[in-house]
């Protein structure tokens, strides 16, 4: 099951996420859960949304099967790269000159003055989208060679850039801190590109792109580009719904009390850590090999990997879910409660984190099962399932936010995660799912989590007694 690659990828993601948490700790200390932290998170939301769509799904899952099947890989890759990059650059220029409409779209509940103050930050941060597309394209080529470490580690460069900005401007006024962070985002994106170019050269993949440019007028890849386009739009829909749900939650949070956007951000950062280092790391490593196996009609090998990966994710994600729910307050206290981040803000963030953690297991397992849909070119089916989950999540958000505030938005996302998991399993094959869980491992799983929950409850009581 390529455990070495999985753990290498997990370590790289862990390192990136740990530096990300370090960044957030400094940010919480510098800005707290204030109007300026809300402004920066809103400005960074859209490029970060596209980063997750590109880097963790749509582009790679549409490009990889098409690239594997392509007869003229260099020409095909070059053509796709140029088309996307030119479009994104034009879009970014438009946002640079007209940032207020897109900012209003991100924060419907804000007044005109607050939108005007946030718009310049939106214009700066949006250029990160162009940079992260280049990173994602290069990363997909490296994944084809089954090299994952560079991509997994490179996000740390973004975090280190932002940490440096915070360290230099920590004592300045909040406005200066927010602008410093925005420019640091672009510097971090540039560093990520440099890291991938160096690795690309080490694998001699630069020759593939040079050849693709050289022979672009002599090789016909129209049908291959058409096939890629038929996969890409459903791929976007299928992979972006959790991010779109979080995006909509950010908009809805602007109608709630001040700090709600920040509570969602900080809690989601903790939630994303186990999701990334366990589920995303495993799915990323398995995707190229599963795509090649299904292309070669070797279903036995592909589904053997599914069985092994399922139990690896189930035990790890289950333990993380229980830990996140029961130890939420000590975790948030340890990470964020200092400087301008108060005890009251900790409690609000804890409530949100617990509701997010309810959806950790289904979101992670859905990642695993959905990669079989993408590897077998069933992107439209995956998109349809994701839309149903999104509709469920948004509908629940509109209801639960009335009673639970930001916590209701997080719980609605988790409900959508369970719907996503159930429908994805049904499409891959419920009989295959039954084959997997008809095992004594199911008993070990249930009993193990129950005993683990008892242990963590006692541990939580001990921690609360000492920190409060």
């Amino acid at each position: 099951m390529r455990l070495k690659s999985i753990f290498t990828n997990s370590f790289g993601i862990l390192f990136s996420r740990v530096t990300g948490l370090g960044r957030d700790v400094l940010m919480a200390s510098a800005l707290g859960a204030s109007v300026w932290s809300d402004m920066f998170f809103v400005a960074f939301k859209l490029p970060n949304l596209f980063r997750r769509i590109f880097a963790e799904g749509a582009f790679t899952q549409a490009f990889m099967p098409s690239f594997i099947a392509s007869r003229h890989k260099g020409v095909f890759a070059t053509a796709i790269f140029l088309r996307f990059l030119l479009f994104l650059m034009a879009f970014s220029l438009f946002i640079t000159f007209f940032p207020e409409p897109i900012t209003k779209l991100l924060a419907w509940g804000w007044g005109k003055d607050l939108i005007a103050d946030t718009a310049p930050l939106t214009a700066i941060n949006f250029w990160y989208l162009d940079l992260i597309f280049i990173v994602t394209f290069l990363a997909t080529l490296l994944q084809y060679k089954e090299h994952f470490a560079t991509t997994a580690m490179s996000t740390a460069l973004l975090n280190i850039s932002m940490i440096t900005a915070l360290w230099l401007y920590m004592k300045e006024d909040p406005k200066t801190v927010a602008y410093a962070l925005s420019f640091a985002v672009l510097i971090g994106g540039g560093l990520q590109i440099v890291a991938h170019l160096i690795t690309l050269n080490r694998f001699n993949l630069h020759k593939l792109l040079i050849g693709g440019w050289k022979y672009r007028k002599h090789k016909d890849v129209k049908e291959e580009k058409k096939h890629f386009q038929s996969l890409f739009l459903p791929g976007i829909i299928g992979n972006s719904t959790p991010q779109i749900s979080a995006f909509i939650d950010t908009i809805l949070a602007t109608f709630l009390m001040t700090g709600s956007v920040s509570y969602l951000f900080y809690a989601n950062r903790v939630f994303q850590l186990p999701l990334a280092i366990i589920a995303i790391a495993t799915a990323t490593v398995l995707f190229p090999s599963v795509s090649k196996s299904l292309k070669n009609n070797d279903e036995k090998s592909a589904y053997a990997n599914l069985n092994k990966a399922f139990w690896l994710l189930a035990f790890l994600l289950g333990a993380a879910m229980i830990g996140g729910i029961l130890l939420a307050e000590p975790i948030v206290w340890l990470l964020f409660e200092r400087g301008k981040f108060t005890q009251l803000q900790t409690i609000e963030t804890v409530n949100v984190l617990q509701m997010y953690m309810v959806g950790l297991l289904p979101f992670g397992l859905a990642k695993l099962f959905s990669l079989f849909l993408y590897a077998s070119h069933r992107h439209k089916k995956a998109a349809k399932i994701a839309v149903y989950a999104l509709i469920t999540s948004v509908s629940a958000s509109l209801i639960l936010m009335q009673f639970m505030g930001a916590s209701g938005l997080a719980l609605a996302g988790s409900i959508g995660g369970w719907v996503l998991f159930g429908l994805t399993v049904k499409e891959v094959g419920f009989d295959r799912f039954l084959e997997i869980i008809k095992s004594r491992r199911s008993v070990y799983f249930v009993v193990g989590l129950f005993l683990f929950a008892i242990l963590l409850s006692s541990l939580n009581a001990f921690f609360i007694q000492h920190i409060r």
Side-chain angles (χ1 to χ4, degrees), residues 34 52 84 99 106 112 164 186 251 263-264:
S34 64
R52 289 183 177 176
F84 271 81
L106 296 169
K112 184 177 180 180
T164 302
L186 303 188
I251 295 173
Y263 301 144
L264 287 170

Side-chain angles (χ1 to χ4, degrees), residues 343-406:
Q343 181 178 340
L344 177 61
Q345 292 170 348
T346 291
I347 299 302
E348 293 290 345
T349 306
V350 165
N351 294 334
V352 175
L353 175 59
Q354 289 175 326
M355 295 301 100
Y356 270 135
M357 281 296 177
V358 172
L360 179 61
L361 184 63
F363 270 122
L365 293 178
K367 281 277 184 187
L368 178 64
F369 280 89
S370 65
L371 72 87
F372 280 80
L373 299 182
Y374 293 114
S376 57
H377 299 225
R378 286 184 280 172
H379 290 59
K380 291 182 180 178
K381 287 287 187 181
K384 193 174 182 179
I385 291 169
V387 169
Y388 289 147
L390 177 63
I391 292 172
T392 302
S393 177
V394 173
S395 300
S397 290
L398 292 171
I399 297 170
L400 294 176
M401 68 180 287
Q402 308 295 330
F403 309 100
M404 300 172 63

Side-chain angles (χ1 to χ4, degrees), residues 322 326 448-460:
I322 297 297
L326 296 178
L449 288 191
F450 178 73
L451 295 176
F452 190 58
I454 294 174
L455 174 63
L456 291 188
S457 295
S458 301
L459 197 60
N460 181 62

Side-chain angles (χ1 to χ4, degrees), residues 326-342:
L326 296 178
L327 298 178
E329 186 170 352
I331 290 171
V332 175
W333 171 82
L334 177 65
L335 293 175
F336 302 123
E337 194 179 311
R338 59 183 56 80
K340 296 180 181 178
F341 201 95
T342 65

Side-chain angles (χ1 to χ4, degrees), residues 238-281:
N239 283 278
S240 63
T241 49
Q243 286 74 40
I244 292 174
S245 178
F247 179 73
I248 293 172
D249 285 348
T250 299
I251 295 173
L252 294 176
T254 62
F255 291 94
L256 301 174
M257 65 180 180
T258 298
S260 293
V261 174
S262 298
Y263 301 144
L264 287 170
F265 176 85
Y266 291 127
N268 190 258
R269 288 294 297 170
V270 178
F271 166 78
Q272 289 293 331
L273 179 61
L275 183 66
I277 65 175
I278 300 171
I280 294 173

Side-chain angles (χ1 to χ4, degrees), residues 406-422:
S407 300
L409 298 177
L411 178 58
S414 294
I415 293 171
W418 282 102
V419 171
L420 178 68
F421 171 63

Side-chain angles (χ1 to χ4, degrees), residues 42 44 46 49 51 60-61 69 85 104 139 141 159-160 180 207 230 233 255 278 293 325 336 375 381 384 390 433 456:
V42 164
F44 190 48
L46 194 59
L49 167 69
R51 176 189 68 81
T60 299
Q61 290 175 346
L85 185 61
K104 182 63 178 177
L141 296 180
N159 297 328
I160 291 169
K207 295 179 181 179
S230 71
L233 183 57
F255 291 94
I278 300 171
S293 295
I325 292 172
F336 302 123
K381 287 287 187 181
K384 193 174 182 179
L390 177 63
F433 178 68
L456 291 188

